[in-house]
Amino acid sequence: MPAPRPSGRAADALRPVILEAGAARHAEGSCRIRLGHTEVLCTASVETRVPPFLRGKGEGWINAEYGMLPRATHTRGEREAARGKQSGRTQEIQRLIARSLRAVVDRRAMGEMAVTIDCDVLTADGGTRCAAITGAWVALHQAFEHCVLKNVIKRNPLRDQVAGVSCGIWKGEPVLDLDYAEDSAAETDGNFVLAAKGGIVELQGTAEGAPFSEDHFLRLLALARQGTEQLFAAQRRAVHL
Amino acid sequence: MPAPRPSGRAADALRPVILEAGAARHAEGSCRIRLGHTEVLCTASVETRVPPFLRGKGEGWINAEYGMLPRATHTRGEREAARGKQSGRTQEIQRLIARSLRAVVDRRAMGEMAVTIDCDVLTADGGTRCAAITGAWVALHQAFEHCVLKNVIKRNPLRDQVAGVSCGIWKGEPVLDLDYAEDSAAETDGNFVLAAKGGIVELQGTAEGAPFSEDHFLRLLALARQGTEQLFAAQRRAVHL
Amino acid sequence: MPAPRPSGRAADALRPVILEAGAARHAEGSCRIRLGHTEVLCTASVETRVPPFLRGKGEGWINAEYGMLPRATHTRGEREAARGKQSGRTQEIQRLIARSLRAVVDRRAMGEMAVTIDCDVLTADGGTRCAAITGAWVALHQAFEHCVLKNVIKRNPLRDQVAGVSCGIWKGEPVLDLDYAEDSAAETDGNFVLAAKGGIVELQGTAEGAPFSEDHFLRLLALARQGTEQLFAAQRRAVHL
Amino acid sequence: MPAPRPSGRAADALRPVILEAGAARHAEGSCRIRLGHTEVLCTASVETRVPPFLRGKGEGWINAEYGMLPRATHTRGEREAARGKQSGRTQEIQRLIARSLRAVVDRRAMGEMAVTIDCDVLTADGGTRCAAITGAWVALHQAFEHCVLKNVIKRNPLRDQVAGVSCGIWKGEPVLDLDYAEDSAAETDGNFVLAAKGGIVELQGTAEGAPFSEDHFLRLLALARQGTEQLFAAQRRAVHL
Amino acid sequence: MPAPRPSGRAADALRPVILEAGAARHAEGSCRIRLGHTEVLCTASVETRVPPFLRGKGEGWINAEYGMLPRATHTRGEREAARGKQSGRTQEIQRLIARSLRAVVDRRAMGEMAVTIDCDVLTADGGTRCAAITGAWVALHQAFEHCVLKNVIKRNPLRDQVAGVSCGIWKGEPVLDLDYAEDSAAETDGNFVLAAKGGIVELQGTAEGAPFSEDHFLRLLALARQGTEQLFAAQRRAVHL
Amino acid sequence: MPAPRPSGRAADALRPVILEAGAARHAEGSCRIRLGHTEVLCTASVETRVPPFLRGKGEGWINAEYGMLPRATHTRGEREAARGKQSGRTQEIQRLIARSLRAVVDRRAMGEMAVTIDCDVLTADGGTRCAAITGAWVALHQAFEHCVLKNVIKRNPLRDQVAGVSCGIWKGEPVLDLDYAEDSAAETDGNFVLAAKGGIVELQGTAEGAPFSEDHFLRLLALARQGTEQLFAAQRRAVHL
């Protein structure tokens, strides 16, 4: 029998998830996601022009930025604006968020329009990048609906849902949705960004200590599928689908 | 009879204020302040060492940082971390917040300990710097109480309460607590940081268009006193005094 | 009887002031101001285009930059150009200088023209930001006269004079025009930017230690009025009005 | 029958690989790797102290930096040193290289010693990050052997070999080792960092257009295993194992 | 009889020089120069537009950038891209390279076209800036020939050859082509950039310790002429003149 | 007969030079140099510790920084502090100033002490870097005398005088001490840093257009010797030697 997880959850148990669409007053789309103690505010800001490399191509663009409030964490982290640059981790995460969303958008249907996704972590307790993707999809959906209402576009260009979840090997056992304590102790750490229709959008697996086996990785992927099913349902409820 | 304010409030009416102490899970002290639609999350982070210029002097220090989520505003602002530096406005505000709090703290009673105040604007609708000061006092109080409980200090080194409110001349009439629409149209803009025992901590008056008269300034100050009385009461309730 | 000031001056005595218009060979307008040992070189540089946010609006703009030579001070300060960024103090001061000048300019009468004011402190002995404003007005006046002569504008768009002076509470006593030694020891510090026709352009009062009273603040303001009268007279002499 | 690849290679054909150990005169370890036209110079620099967070823990550290000569690419890219910061892509790659190497090192056996891996791309034709990992392992091995010879450590702390290869779906077909032309047109792009003893060190799969299936991903992984076998053999030859 | 040089070379002996034109696959022009152990990769990148200050003037421009791989040196140097800025030395060298090449180019004959020269030091053993100039001339020649072939320009705008060599006073004796060991110990250090038709393009002489005499300087210049003759011959061979 | 110079001066005429020692109130040593319209304020700041690479070696160090007020020039230049970095030109000049002074100092006699030279150009009309060196020597001399008086060092560690002057070929004719108008039109530009006892400290000759001849260069050097004789005399008067 496997050792109980620090969180007391079953190996395949997701933390309670709450998606609150429209949480930011000024943004075209927004969602505050709570996944256990992790809390991320996601906004989608629409601009009616695209970056230079896309001008005149009739396609839209989606970009993302990610930040963490200095005291979102157990000990205060340095404010990136004060330090004068974003860390490698921040840049890696914001590239991942943007790619993940672009994979489920029909960019031709957007026309020449850009959406900037901002994901700001208010409280961090593990899984912030995956929670950001899950919440950002809701913010993006809301922003696109807003554009349809305003007759900027004819239909919502989202082709699929996308959500992220982290899994890992903890004391030799694959477990779903690592919180901070579990993540710090995990031997292998994976981030899975999956689409509701069954496709894989992004996979990342990292050996924290020793290399891991293909079998273990497949078990993590299976857990991730199970977890994202619950996230997809929560997204649909949040946008009234 | 004066023209009605855009907000419909009476000239001397403060917006509804809600102070939620303990809003940030990990910080030693925290407070989420809502003043009308303006919403600021304030945290107080305790460190048991002081900056180099104070080492060995037996005194504490209080520093502040201020930020705004990119979509806290009507149109998205550039993320300062991405731009690689903080604006002059940001730096001016964080210096004001820190000075205001230091004025009501007995820094000798702190011993060699530093507190960093982070004020992050989640939604901006005017008066964010003043709201940040009001909320930061609650966060700081809570952090000091935490230190007393942990026996780091013997008593709470706060000597007084401090709160901030903005006032301005709108269509020739002094009004209390400008929201964004009013602030944009005000002829004169003042920020008042006052202490509960009656002293003035910081005064700033700025002619946006033409210079203003001393009489007008004194009427703004009187409104500010009235407004901060309500804020002091809210602070006491928030920290159970 | 109050304790004598470190400078030996009476409580209401301004330091000797010298305004030397035209001190910079290449600039359209310039003024070297000496206020006691404090010495600031102010230049006004005219450009025939405005920043993007004003294009096509038929209005002018005034911007300011402030700097201090590394050895303007008792001990050498780091060169901001070498450090790669301007301090919060620098940015706060240059925003104050620009706002103060804009308050006495008819920006419509400028047309689409921008003036950049540079204030560089050659020697610092307290009151540099106020001296910069006083000297900058002379530089700006000279630059506008130059533009009138060159037929770029029809009349000088200055509507009023503006000058700045610092006052403070020193050993419980309000005193005018703090030098460095007095400023370091003052309990309260105020910067007053006043217009010659009687209006207030900017007021800033800061409690360095304990909060201050309204009565004290009003006495500082009265001293400031008295001091700026002398500065206005010196400005008029410098520009031959 | 699948469409021929732009390179004309079979779906499972690796480009010719040349590993030249000792290519950099001054470094403790070095390797120039050529993979088709892609050419990366990897050096390993030994320092006898660790970063602050590891001091006194008796463990070593491995860090990596990655760069690209401005004209390594078809059109000249901006020099990151001139631009004043490293791109998100650069930071993501150098984090990947460092993590990959740390996964096969016994950091306790290193003692308190740090190795910095520099990977500089001289010519880019796809797969530079994977080639960098493959070459860096040789440089690191050589540096550790150097330390053994110098009696800094008792034995080479490498526990396994590690190599990277990219695979992708090209016109619906999984193919091994994408060159630049193939990479630009691939629907799915994967980077595989594998260990010689069979473990997985890092997996990354990205949907460039539409999401991909689990089956496709497993076929990419199988190709990667086949390709890294050849790379492991080349590494062993390069270090005379 | 003078003391033997550390390198064992005669006072007027140049190190072996190898110029490999076309060393960079993607660039319009390129040259890898080896001068003893010093090795620099020079590329010339052609762009069909000039910097703003030259637009519409019918002249071309040549710019240069210089970099050093972190482990080109005996001990690892910090990567300038990671540090976020180029050192003063780097900037001085890249200005020298660009000026030297511009002096032998007929910029009118280029038309409105810009060439960026990148010189990246792979191995440093003294004399890198001079070697960079010598190699850059070959890269530039090749790039211009490429433009002639493509009918972008009618004839090669190079009017002369240019090459650089360092000389110095070592133990009181003028010597040609200092390597790193000699350069560190030289009393006087000179960089000479000469043209094949006999003119001087750049001269720099620096007293490392005590000032030097005019006579010594003239002897260094004579050595430099002798050394550059060999470099000019090597350049002609490299470009088949 | 040669064409008259724009300045009307004879080919070998230096501009009027005024050296005002002690011009900066707070610095240990200072000198304001005026050379025609060019005006540079030089200060020498003493610190009783050396940079890390010299600690424990019993030697002193001299460093230099150079800046230009934004409106020292005909058109306003961007403030380097605002731009966030120093230009290549600035860095090249400050390295030259520091090297030139170090060449005439007995660094052993300084002991472990550092002097920072700041040269700030108040008005630029050609020859600022050379004027800076000439003025800096006076500031440095004064600072060392100050240290002797304070018993920090036993004797003034200056072994010689050093001064700089620019010369150039103007319309085919060698001329001394180029002002801005002449410098812009010169075919060849040379900076000469010479010592009073006859040695050469730094030589730089640059072909602005076509390469120049050795003969021309020697005539420039002769003019420079003549010019620096006058500067050495002015320096001796300024420091009462």
Side-chain angles (χ1 to χ4, degrees):
Chain A
M1 207 184 79
R5 298 171 65 170
S7 62
R9 280 184 281 142
D12 62 352
L14 196 74
R15 288 177 283 179
V17 62
I18 302 172
L19 294 172
E20 176 192 354
R25 180 176 183 75
H26 299 307
E28 285 78 29
S30 62
C31 179
R32 185 187 308 247
I33 177 170
R34 287 193 182 82
L35 183 69
H37 294 310
T38 288
E39 180 178 357
V40 186
L41 180 59
C42 308
T43 59
S45 299
V46 174
E47 251 193 322
T48 53
R49 55 179 209 166
V50 288
F53 71 92
L54 276 183
R55 289 201 188 131
K57 301 209 173 153
E59 287 177 31
W61 189 244
I62 291 168
N63 196 24
E65 296 197 0
Y66 171 93
M68 205 181 253
L69 295 197
R71 198 56 197 276
T73 43
H74 285 82
T75 57
R76 186 177 182 271
E78 209 182 347
R79 187 178 288 268
E80 293 192 325
R83 205 160 59 102
K85 64 174 185 177
Q86 295 181 306
S87 71
R89 179 186 174 274
T90 291
Q91 297 200 50
E92 194 169 321
I93 293 174
Q94 52 199 18
R95 285 158 55 87
L96 170 66
I97 297 170
R99 273 200 318 267
S100 297
L101 293 169
R102 286 197 299 264
V104 293
V105 169
D106 178 351
R107 282 172 43 217
R108 290 234 140 249
M110 285 176 74
E112 296 214 356
M113 172 177 99
V115 183
T116 300
I117 301 294
D118 284 289
C119 299
D120 286 273
V121 178
L122 305 185
T123 309
D125 188 31
T128 62
R129 80 184 68 187
C130 288
I133 292 167
T134 305
W137 184 87
V138 173
L140 183 60
H141 189 280
Q142 197 180 48
F144 280 144
E145 290 295 308
H146 170 92
C147 292
V148 170
L149 269 173
K150 297 273 180 193
N151 278 318
V152 177
I153 45 177
K154 290 202 189 131
R155 56 175 185 80
N156 194 318
L158 279 166
R159 296 189 292 213
D160 202 343
Q161 285 174 257
V162 69
V165 76
S166 77
C167 300
I169 311 289
W170 187 81
K171 301 224 173 176
E173 201 63 29
V175 295
L176 173 64
D177 186 23
L178 303 170
D179 64 22
Y180 178 77
E182 292 165 344
D183 187 53
S184 310
E187 294 113 53
T188 294
D189 187 13
N191 291 303
F192 297 85
V193 184
L194 305 179
K197 292 179 182 164
I200 302 172
V201 170
E202 284 269 346
L203 279 183
Q204 297 179 339
T206 297
E208 294 299 330
F212 54 93
S213 69
E214 187 172 329
D215 177 57
H216 262 160
F217 187 70
L218 292 177
R219 287 170 64 194
L220 295 180
L221 175 54
L223 282 173
R225 283 202 188 281
Q226 192 177 326
T228 48
E229 283 310 316
Q230 295 176 55
L231 297 171
F232 293 136
Q235 286 178 335
R236 284 188 300 263
R237 281 191 305 273
V239 301
H240 309 295
L241 282 182
Chain B
M1 206 184 82
R5 299 170 65 170
S7 61
R9 279 184 281 142
D12 64 350
L14 196 73
R15 288 176 283 178
V17 62
I18 301 172
L19 294 172
E20 177 193 353
R25 181 175 181 78
H26 299 307
E28 286 78 28
S30 62
C31 179
R32 185 187 309 245
I33 177 170
R34 287 192 182 86
L35 183 68
H37 294 310
T38 288
E39 181 177 357
V40 186
L41 181 59
C42 307
T43 59
S45 299
V46 174
E47 250 194 324
T48 53
R49 56 179 208 165
V50 289
F53 72 91
L54 276 183
R55 287 196 191 134
K57 301 210 172 151
E59 287 175 32
W61 190 245
I62 291 168
N63 196 25
E65 296 196 1
Y66 171 93
M68 206 180 255
L69 295 198
R71 198 56 198 274
T73 44
H74 285 82
T75 55
R76 186 177 183 271
E78 207 182 350
R79 188 179 287 268
E80 293 193 323
R83 204 160 59 102
K85 66 175 184 175
Q86 296 180 306
S87 71
R89 178 184 174 274
T90 292
Q91 297 201 48
E92 194 169 321
I93 292 174
Q94 53 199 18
R95 284 157 55 87
L96 171 66
I97 297 169
R99 275 200 316 268
S100 297
L101 293 169
R102 287 197 298 263
V104 293
V105 168
D106 178 352
R107 284 172 39 217
R108 291 235 139 250
M110 286 176 72
E112 297 213 355
M113 170 176 101
V115 182
T116 299
I117 301 293
D118 284 289
C119 299
D120 285 90
V121 179
L122 305 185
T123 309
D125 188 32
T128 61
R129 80 185 69 187
C130 288
I133 292 167
T134 305
W137 184 87
V138 173
L140 183 59
H141 189 280
Q142 197 181 48
F144 280 144
E145 290 295 309
H146 171 91
C147 292
V148 170
L149 270 173
K150 297 274 180 193
N151 277 318
V152 177
I153 47 176
K154 290 202 189 130
R155 56 176 182 80
N156 193 319
L158 279 165
R159 295 188 293 212
D160 203 343
Q161 286 172 256
V162 68
V165 77
S166 76
C167 299
I169 311 289
W170 188 81
K171 302 225 172 176
E173 202 63 27
V175 295
L176 173 65
D177 187 22
L178 303 169
D179 63 23
Y180 178 76
E182 292 166 343
D183 187 52
S184 310
E187 295 113 52
T188 295
D189 188 13
N191 291 302
F192 297 85
V193 184
L194 304 180
K197 291 178 181 165
I200 302 170
V201 170
E202 283 269 347
L203 277 185
Q204 297 179 339
T206 297
E208 294 298 331
F212 53 91
S213 69
E214 186 171 331
D215 177 58
H216 262 159
F217 189 70
L218 292 177
R219 287 170 64 192
L220 295 181
L221 176 54
L223 282 173
R225 283 203 187 281
Q226 194 177 324
T228 48
E229 283 310 315
Q230 295 176 54
L231 297 171
F232 293 136
Q235 286 178 334
R236 283 188 299 264
R237 282 192 304 273
V239 301
H240 308 295
L241 281 182
Chain C
M1 208 185 79
R5 300 170 64 168
S7 61
R9 280 183 281 142
D12 63 352
L14 195 74
R15 288 176 284 179
V17 63
I18 300 172
L19 295 171
E20 177 193 354
R25 180 176 182 76
H26 299 307
E28 285 77 30
S30 62
C31 178
R32 184 188 310 247
I33 177 170
R34 287 193 181 83
L35 183 69
H37 294 310
T38 288
E39 180 178 356
V40 186
L41 180 59
C42 308
T43 59
S45 299
V46 174
E47 251 194 323
T48 54
R49 54 176 209 167
V50 289
F53 72 92
L54 276 183
R55 286 196 192 134
K57 301 209 172 153
E59 287 176 31
W61 190 244
I62 291 168
N63 195 26
E65 296 196 1
Y66 170 95
M68 206 180 252
L69 296 197
R71 199 53 198 277
T73 44
H74 285 83
T75 55
R76 184 175 184 274
E78 207 182 348
R79 188 178 288 266
E80 292 192 326
R83 206 159 58 100
K85 66 175 185 176
Q86 296 180 306
S87 71
R89 178 185 174 274
T90 291
Q91 297 201 49
E92 193 169 322
I93 292 174
Q94 52 199 19
R95 285 157 54 87
L96 171 65
I97 296 170
R99 272 200 317 266
S100 296
L101 293 168
R102 286 197 299 263
V104 293
V105 168
D106 179 351
R107 283 171 41 217
R108 291 233 139 247
M110 287 176 73
E112 295 213 356
M113 171 176 100
V115 183
T116 299
I117 301 293
D118 284 290
C119 299
D120 286 273
V121 179
L122 305 185
T123 310
D125 188 31
T128 62
R129 79 185 69 186
C130 288
I133 291 167
T134 304
W137 184 87
V138 173
L140 183 59
H141 188 280
Q142 198 181 48
F144 280 143
E145 289 295 308
H146 170 92
C147 292
V148 170
L149 270 173
K150 296 273 181 193
N151 278 318
V152 177
I153 46 175
K154 290 201 188 130
R155 56 175 184 80
N156 193 318
L158 279 165
R159 295 187 294 212
D160 204 344
Q161 287 174 255
V162 68
V165 77
S166 77
C167 299
I169 311 289
W170 186 81
K171 301 224 172 177
E173 202 62 29
V175 296
L176 174 64
D177 186 22
L178 303 169
D179 64 22
Y180 178 76
E182 292 166 344
D183 187 53
S184 309
E187 296 113 50
T188 295
D189 188 12
N191 291 302
F192 297 85
V193 183
L194 304 179
K197 292 179 181 163
I200 302 171
V201 170
E202 283 268 348
L203 278 183
Q204 296 179 338
T206 297
E208 295 297 331
F212 53 92
S213 69
E214 186 172 331
D215 177 58
H216 262 160
F217 188 70
L218 292 177
R219 288 170 64 193
L220 294 181
L221 175 54
L223 282 172
R225 284 202 187 280
Q226 193 176 322
T228 48
E229 283 311 314
Q230 296 176 54
L231 296 171
F232 293 136
Q235 286 178 335
R236 284 188 299 264
R237 282 192 304 274
V239 301
H240 309 296
L241 282 183
Chain D
M1 206 184 85
R5 300 171 65 170
S7 61
R9 280 184 281 141
D12 63 351
L14 196 73
R15 289 177 282 178
V17 62
I18 302 171
L19 294 172
E20 175 192 354
R25 181 175 181 76
H26 299 308
E28 285 78 29
S30 61
C31 178
R32 186 186 311 245
I33 176 169
R34 288 193 181 83
L35 183 69
H37 295 310
T38 288
E39 179 177 358
V40 186
L41 180 59
C42 307
T43 59
S45 298
V46 175
E47 250 193 324
T48 54
R49 55 177 207 164
V50 288
F53 71 91
L54 276 184
R55 287 196 190 134
K57 301 209 173 151
E59 289 176 29
W61 189 245
I62 290 167
N63 196 25
E65 296 196 0
Y66 171 94
M68 206 180 254
L69 295 197
R71 199 55 198 276
T73 44
H74 286 82
T75 55
R76 185 178 184 269
E78 207 182 351
R79 188 178 285 268
E80 293 192 325
R83 204 160 58 102
K85 64 175 186 176
Q86 296 180 306
S87 71
R89 178 184 174 274
T90 292
Q91 297 201 50
E92 193 170 320
I93 292 174
Q94 52 199 18
R95 286 157 53 87
L96 170 66
I97 297 170
R99 273 200 317 268
S100 297
L101 293 168
R102 286 197 299 263
V104 294
V105 168
D106 177 351
R107 283 172 41 218
R108 291 235 139 249
M110 284 175 74
E112 296 213 356
M113 171 175 99
V115 182
T116 299
I117 300 294
D118 284 290
C119 300
D120 285 272
V121 178
L122 304 185
T123 310
D125 188 32
T128 63
R129 80 186 67 187
C130 288
I133 292 167
T134 305
W137 184 87
V138 173
L140 183 60
H141 188 280
Q142 196 181 48
F144 280 143
E145 290 295 308
H146 170 92
C147 292
V148 170
L149 270 173
K150 296 275 179 191
N151 277 318
V152 177
I153 45 177
K154 291 201 188 130
R155 54 174 185 83
N156 194 319
L158 279 165
R159 296 187 292 213
D160 203 343
Q161 285 173 256
V162 69
V165 78
S166 77
C167 301
I169 311 288
W170 187 81
K171 302 222 171 178
E173 202 64 28
V175 296
L176 173 65
D177 187 22
L178 303 170
D179 64 22
Y180 178 77
E182 292 165 343
D183 187 51
S184 309
E187 296 113 53
T188 294
D189 187 13
N191 291 302
F192 297 84
V193 183
L194 305 180
K197 292 179 182 163
I200 302 171
V201 170
E202 284 269 346
L203 278 184
Q204 297 179 339
T206 297
E208 294 297 332
F212 53 91
S213 68
E214 186 171 331
D215 177 58
H216 263 160
F217 188 71
L218 293 178
R219 288 170 63 192
L220 294 180
L221 175 53
L223 283 172
R225 284 204 187 280
Q226 193 177 325
T228 48
E229 284 310 314
Q230 295 177 55
L231 297 171
F232 294 136
Q235 286 178 334
R236 283 188 299 264
R237 282 191 304 273
V239 301
H240 309 294
L241 280 184
Chain E
M1 207 185 81
R5 300 171 65 169
S7 62
R9 280 184 281 143
D12 63 351
L14 195 74
R15 288 176 283 178
V17 62
I18 301 171
L19 294 172
E20 176 193 355
R25 179 175 183 75
H26 298 307
E28 285 78 29
S30 63
C31 178
R32 186 187 309 247
I33 177 170
R34 287 194 182 81
L35 183 68
H37 294 310
T38 288
E39 180 177 358
V40 186
L41 180 59
C42 307
T43 59
S45 299
V46 174
E47 250 193 324
T48 54
R49 54 177 210 167
V50 288
F53 72 92
L54 275 183
R55 291 201 186 131
K57 301 209 171 153
E59 287 177 31
W61 189 244
I62 291 168
N63 196 26
E65 296 196 2
Y66 171 93
M68 205 179 253
L69 296 198
R71 198 56 198 276
T73 44
H74 286 81
T75 56
R76 186 178 183 271
E78 207 183 348
R79 187 178 288 266
E80 293 192 325
R83 205 160 60 102
K85 64 175 187 175
Q86 295 180 307
S87 72
R89 177 184 175 276
T90 292
Q91 297 202 49
E92 193 169 321
I93 292 173
Q94 51 200 20
R95 285 156 55 86
L96 171 66
I97 297 169
R99 274 200 316 269
S100 296
L101 293 169
R102 286 196 299 263
V104 293
V105 169
D106 178 352
R107 283 172 40 219
R108 290 234 140 250
M110 285 176 74
E112 297 213 356
M113 170 176 102
V115 183
T116 299
I117 300 294
D118 285 288
C119 299
D120 286 273
V121 178
L122 305 185
T123 309
D125 188 31
T128 63
R129 80 184 70 186
C130 289
I133 291 167
T134 305
W137 184 88
V138 173
L140 183 60
H141 189 280
Q142 196 181 48
F144 281 144
E145 289 296 308
H146 170 91
C147 292
V148 170
L149 271 173
K150 297 274 179 193
N151 277 318
V152 177
I153 46 176
K154 290 202 188 128
R155 56 176 183 79
N156 193 320
L158 279 165
R159 297 187 292 213
D160 203 343
Q161 287 173 254
V162 68
V165 77
S166 78
C167 300
I169 311 289
W170 187 80
K171 302 223 171 178
E173 201 63 28
V175 296
L176 174 65
D177 186 23
L178 303 169
D179 64 22
Y180 178 78
E182 292 166 344
D183 187 53
S184 310
E187 296 113 51
T188 294
D189 188 12
N191 291 302
F192 297 85
V193 183
L194 305 179
K197 293 179 181 164
I200 302 170
V201 170
E202 285 269 346
L203 278 183
Q204 296 178 338
T206 296
E208 294 298 331
F212 54 91
S213 70
E214 186 171 330
D215 177 58
H216 261 159
F217 188 71
L218 293 177
R219 288 171 64 194
L220 294 181
L221 175 54
L223 282 173
R225 283 203 187 279
Q226 193 176 323
T228 49
E229 283 311 315
Q230 296 177 55
L231 296 171
F232 294 135
Q235 285 178 335
R236 283 188 300 264
R237 282 193 304 273
V239 300
H240 309 296
L241 281 183
Chain F
M1 206 185 81
R5 299 170 64 169
S7 62
R9 282 184 279 142
D12 63 351
L14 196 74
R15 288 176 284 179
V17 63
I18 301 171
L19 294 172
E20 177 193 353
R25 182 175 181 76
H26 299 307
E28 285 78 30
S30 62
C31 178
R32 184 188 311 246
I33 177 169
R34 287 193 181 83
L35 183 69
H37 294 309
T38 289
E39 181 177 355
V40 186
L41 181 58
C42 307
T43 59
S45 299
V46 174
E47 251 193 323
T48 53
R49 55 177 209 164
V50 289
F53 72 91
L54 275 182
R55 287 197 191 133
K57 301 209 171 151
E59 286 178 31
W61 189 245
I62 290 168
N63 196 25
E65 296 196 2
Y66 171 92
M68 205 180 255
L69 295 198
R71 198 56 198 276
T73 44
H74 285 82
T75 55
R76 184 176 184 272
E78 207 182 351
R79 188 178 286 268
E80 293 192 324
R83 204 160 59 102
K85 66 176 185 175
Q86 297 181 306
S87 71
R89 178 185 175 273
T90 292
Q91 297 201 51
E92 192 168 322
I93 292 174
Q94 53 199 17
R95 285 157 54 88
L96 171 66
I97 297 170
R99 275 200 315 269
S100 296
L101 294 169
R102 286 197 299 263
V104 294
V105 168
D106 178 351
R107 282 172 41 216
R108 290 233 139 252
M110 286 176 73
E112 296 212 356
M113 172 176 99
V115 183
T116 299
I117 301 293
D118 284 288
C119 299
D120 285 274
V121 179
L122 305 186
T123 309
D125 187 33
T128 62
R129 80 184 69 186
C130 288
I133 292 167
T134 305
W137 183 87
V138 173
L140 183 59
H141 188 278
Q142 197 182 47
F144 280 144
E145 289 295 307
H146 171 92
C147 292
V148 170
L149 270 172
K150 297 276 179 192
N151 279 317
V152 178
I153 46 177
K154 290 202 187 129
R155 56 174 184 82
N156 194 319
L158 278 165
R159 295 187 293 212
D160 203 343
Q161 286 173 255
V162 70
V165 77
S166 77
C167 299
I169 310 289
W170 186 82
K171 302 225 172 178
E173 203 62 28
V175 296
L176 174 65
D177 187 22
L178 303 170
D179 63 24
Y180 177 77
E182 292 165 344
D183 187 52
S184 310
E187 295 113 52
T188 294
D189 187 14
N191 292 301
F192 297 85
V193 184
L194 305 178
K197 292 176 182 167
I200 301 171
V201 170
E202 283 269 346
L203 278 183
Q204 297 180 339
T206 297
E208 293 298 331
F212 53 92
S213 69
E214 185 171 333
D215 177 57
H216 262 161
F217 188 71
L218 292 177
R219 287 171 63 194
L220 295 181
L221 176 54
L223 282 173
R225 282 203 188 280
Q226 193 176 324
T228 48
E229 283 311 314
Q230 295 176 54
L231 296 172
F232 293 136
Q235 285 177 336
R236 284 188 298 265
R237 283 192 303 273
V239 301
H240 309 294
L241 281 182

